[in-house]
Amino acid sequence: MIDKLAKKASPLKMTPLGEVLFEKSSAKKTIDNNIDFLIKELEDINPQTAYDVEEEALSYLLRNMGNEMFADIKKFLYYSPDTIQLKDPSSGEDKDVRLSMQSIIKLMSIYLRDLYLKKHSNIV
């Protein structure tokens, strides 16, 4: 399922369909509302390369799924069916997307990575 939502483009990027899910699931709002905290947590880890930032962002989010910041995402997942239809902006077609916390966290980690690297432009 992640192939529908993110694609390897050096670096990994969200697809247009992934961006729709990212917004709809409240994942973007979650990162935006907690960005100072999340950036600080990554700074404490002190990743040395862009690859490290990507891996540490994912690892941190996975380890902290119990944090209250994930409440809206969990509600979205709990009250949604296993598979939902989303309109793919790139094709205009409805696509079936299987929901999982792991897929949403992967999208969150891509966004968090990009925000961290924007702030720390010296990391390559």
Side-chain angles (χ1 to χ4, degrees):
M1 181 51 58
I2 197 66
D3 293 341
K4 282 186 183 179
L5 305 175
K7 64 180 177 177
K8 182 71 175 153
S10 287
L12 193 63
K13 293 185 177 192
M14 277 188 238
T15 65
L17 186 62
E19 291 174 9
V20 171
L21 178 60
F22 185 62
E23 289 274 349
K24 186 174 182 70
S25 67
S26 298
K28 182 179 187 311
K29 181 179 85 170
T30 298
I31 296 288
D32 289 344
N33 288 347
N34 295 282
I35 192 59
D36 293 336
F37 169 76
L38 292 167
I39 293 285
K40 170 84 171 77
E41 291 298 307
L42 284 177
E43 287 171 344
D44 289 348
I45 295 168
N46 193 26
Q48 298 299 302
T49 67
Y51 178 86
D52 294 337
V53 174
E54 184 171 307
E55 290 297 310
E56 293 297 343
L58 178 61
S59 180
Y60 181 82
L61 292 169
L62 285 169
R63 282 192 319 269
N64 289 281
M65 285 189 302
N67 189 298
E68 69 181 59
M69 79 172 107
F70 286 91
D72 288 341
I73 297 166
K74 289 177 182 178
K75 286 177 193 169
F76 170 77
L77 289 169
Y78 185 80
Y79 290 107
S80 295
D82 287 342
T83 302
I84 62 171
Q85 277 200 342
L86 297 174
K87 186 170 289 299
D88 187 342
S90 62
S91 68
E93 297 176 10
D94 288 337
K95 300 270 178 110
D96 288 337
V97 175
R98 187 178 185 112
L99 297 178
S100 74
M101 180 62 92
Q102 290 75 18
S103 292
I104 292 172
I105 286 179
K106 185 65 176 178
L107 297 174
M108 293 171 76
S109 73
I110 293 168
Y111 184 62
L112 178 56
R113 174 206 65 201
D114 291 347
L115 294 175
Y116 186 90
L117 290 174
K118 188 175 184 179
K119 181 175 181 184
H120 298 274
S121 58
N122 60 317
I123 297 178
V124 291

